[in-house]
Amino acid sequence: MDKITLIIPCYNEEEALPYTYKALLDIAGTMNYVEFEFLLVNNCSEDNTLNIMKKYSQEDSRFRYISFSRNFGKEASMYAGLKHSTGDFTAIIDADLQDPPELLPQMYKSVKEEGFDCAAAYRKNRKGEPFFRSLFAEWFYKLMSRISDCNIMNGARDFRLMSRKVVDAIVSLEESERFSKGIFGWVGFKTKWIPFENIERVAGKTKQGFTSAFTYAFRGIIAFSTKPLLISSVLGVIVSFLAVLFTVFVVTKQIITGEAVPGYPSLVCILLFGFGFTFSLLGIIGQYLAQIYLEIKSRPKYIISEKSE
Ligand code: UDP
Ligand code: MG
């Protein structure tokens, strides 16, 4: 019998977990032709999440938990889950039922019988999501597929079922600034994409606001593409060229007409533009530098404070 490990990253999920627990037991009942291992990863929740996890693991030996010493973010939860997974197949699923467990039989079938290495779910639409968030997400996916090696499906979630070799490949990428959506694409393998309608979380509140989603996306670009550096250089050359043209114009006018170009306001505009431009380019370089700095320290991606037997 095959074993499927389900990784469930949790941060302050006391309200949603009971629903998820029930849904997971249901799906395990339906898929009685496989063995299940449920790996709950507690990202140092401030609520009752850890106690609930302990209770589940006492009641049902298929439930295991890992608990972090502080909040290391969802990326770290997923990485820890993948490292500790013992199944022949491994799936990642959110704790708020936004990733429908009912897709699992289809995912398993795709990987087991249809020759795929991985089955991943994506949302067909973003019903119920704020307009600007959807818009930015769409731009982000378009930009990402243009400037990086990894094609990310618009609406892709972290919800996916993978064979052992895919899991091993992902774990072998040891970068500490992780951007899993990019990593999944980067490792390659044959992936089946399964669409589903957007579902709102069953209970509790989202941990990812617009700002953190934006930062995450920005980090993703820096982690998977060096094109911004190239674009910066090209823009720098273009602006310098314009500056030379303008200087030639000013000097020529001075020689021919004998009067300096009046233009304190235009000068201020040019200066402001020049400085703003330089600083934004420095900022981009700084981001890469920051990533090198973080990687070179090679700190652990998470620290476990306790786990089940
Ligand atoms: N999560 C986590 N650590 C964090 C933040 C979130 O493990 O620091 C988990 C969270 O419990 C949930 C999943 O990651 O299972 C997705 O989080 P959320 O639903 O808040 O994000 P959204 O679905 O709104 O993007
Ligand atoms: Mg969610």
Side-chain angles (χ1 to χ4, degrees), residues 236-251 270 273-274:
V237 170
I238 293 174
V239 172
S240 313
F241 182 67
L242 289 179
V244 170
L245 281 188
F246 191 66
T247 313
V248 170
F249 167 72
V250 170
V251 172
I270 293 165
F273 174 75

Side-chain angles (χ1 to χ4, degrees), residues 247-267:
T247 313
V248 170
F249 167 72
V250 170
V251 172
T252 318
K253 191 164 178 195
Q254 165 72 18
I255 292 168
I256 295 172
T257 64
E259 58 187 47
V261 181
Y264 175 73
S266 60
L267 204 63

Side-chain angles (χ1 to χ4, degrees), residues 7-13 16 20 41-45 49 68 71-78 93-99 123 129 133 157-158 181 199 201 203 205-209 212-213:
I7 299 166
I8 308 133
C10 303
Y11 174 59
N12 292 348
E13 295 290 4
T20 312
V41 185
N42 173 32
N43 219 320
C44 199
S45 305
T49 302
F68 289 171
N71 186 297
F72 284 91
K74 187 188 176 189
E75 286 290 335
S77 308
M78 293 194 287
I93 189 164
D94 277 4
D96 56 5
L97 288 184
Q98 277 195 294
D99 299 330
R123 295 181 286 181
E129 206 182 62
R133 189 161 173 174
R157 296 189 57 87
D158 295 322
K181 287 194 171 75
I199 308 167
R201 62 156 49 231
K205 276 202 283 288
T206 175
K207 319 296 174 309
Q208 205 182 38
S212 75

Side-chain angles (χ1 to χ4, degrees), residues 126 133-156 179 181 217 220-221 224-225 227 231:
R126 293 171 168 268
R133 189 161 173 174
S134 307
L135 190 72
F136 274 112
E138 201 162 306
W139 287 350
F140 168 71
Y141 290 117
K142 283 207 182 113
L143 181 70
M144 204 59 182
S145 57
R146 277 188 163 218
I147 66 170
S148 77
D149 289 342
C150 47
N151 212 338
I152 308 176
M153 174 77 89
N154 184 3
F179 179 70
K181 287 194 171 75
I221 294 176
F224 277 90
S225 172
K227 290 264 164 63
I231 296 168

Side-chain angles (χ1 to χ4, degrees), residues 31-284:
M31 295 177 76
N32 53 12
Y33 45 87
V34 285
E35 199 185 316
F36 271 98
E37 169 186 55
F38 301 105
L39 191 52
L40 300 156
V41 185
N42 173 32
N43 219 320
C44 199
S45 305
E46 287 116 39
D47 65 2
N48 220 10
T49 302
L50 180 58
N51 289 331
I52 298 175
M53 288 181 176
K54 285 183 180 164
K55 192 173 125 237
Y56 294 162
S57 75
Q58 278 157 10
E59 282 169 6
D60 189 329
S61 61
R62 294 172 297 176
F63 281 79
R64 287 167 59 207
Y65 68 86
I66 302 172
S67 188
F68 289 171
S69 61
R70 71 165 174 86
N71 186 297
F72 284 91
K74 187 188 176 189
E75 286 290 335
S77 308
M78 293 194 287
Y79 183 75
L82 290 173
K83 273 212 117 159
H84 285 81
S85 126
T86 59
D88 306 295
F89 299 89
T90 303
I92 301 171
I93 189 164
D94 277 4
D96 56 5
L97 288 184
Q98 277 195 294
D99 299 330
E102 306 82 64
L103 290 184
L104 283 169
Q106 194 188 341
M107 288 174 149
Y108 174 67
K109 190 162 167 261
S110 306
V111 180
K112 179 77 182 168
E113 290 167 19
E114 293 166 13
F116 290 95
D117 302 299
C118 176
Y122 71 97
R123 295 181 286 181
K124 280 192 290 191
N125 52 42
R126 293 171 168 268
K127 246 186 268 157
E129 206 182 62
F131 172 75
F132 277 110
R133 189 161 173 174
S134 307
L135 190 72
F136 274 112
E138 201 162 306
W139 287 350
F140 168 71
Y141 290 117
K142 283 207 182 113
L143 181 70
M144 204 59 182
S145 57
R146 277 188 163 218
I147 66 170
S148 77
D149 289 342
C150 47
N151 212 338
I152 308 176
M153 174 77 89
N154 184 3
R157 296 189 57 87
D158 295 322
F159 182 30
R160 53 178 59 228
L161 186 136
M162 298 159 271
S163 67
R164 176 59 28 203
K165 61 181 176 190
V166 180
V167 174
D168 290 343
I170 293 171
V171 171
S172 75
L173 266 74
E174 299 221 19
E175 56 216 70
S176 31
E177 285 293 285
R178 297 183 80 76
F179 179 70
S180 284
K181 287 194 171 75
I183 293 177
F184 296 147
W186 191 88
V187 295
F189 292 107
K190 250 181 106 187
T191 303
K192 167 138 182 195
W193 287 99
I194 302 173
F196 70 98
E197 296 277 333
N198 190 32
I199 308 167
E200 294 196 31
R201 62 156 49 231
V202 63
K205 276 202 283 288
T206 175
K207 319 296 174 309
Q208 205 182 38
F210 184 78
T211 329
S212 75
F214 192 81
T215 323
Y216 182 65
F218 190 67
R219 251 183 40 202
I221 294 176
I222 302 288
F224 277 90
S225 172
T226 47
K227 290 264 164 63
L229 289 175
L230 181 69
I231 296 168
S232 310
S233 320
V234 172
L235 285 177
V237 170
I238 293 174
V239 172
S240 313
F241 182 67
L242 289 179
V244 170
L245 281 188
F246 191 66
T247 313
V248 170
F249 167 72
V250 170
V251 172
T252 318
K253 191 164 178 195
Q254 165 72 18
I255 292 168
I256 295 172
T257 64
E259 58 187 47
V261 181
Y264 175 73
S266 60
L267 204 63
V268 170
C269 294
I270 293 165
L271 271 180
L272 281 180
F273 174 75
F275 276 123
F277 186 69
T278 317
F279 281 120
S280 61
L281 298 195
L282 275 178
I284 291 176

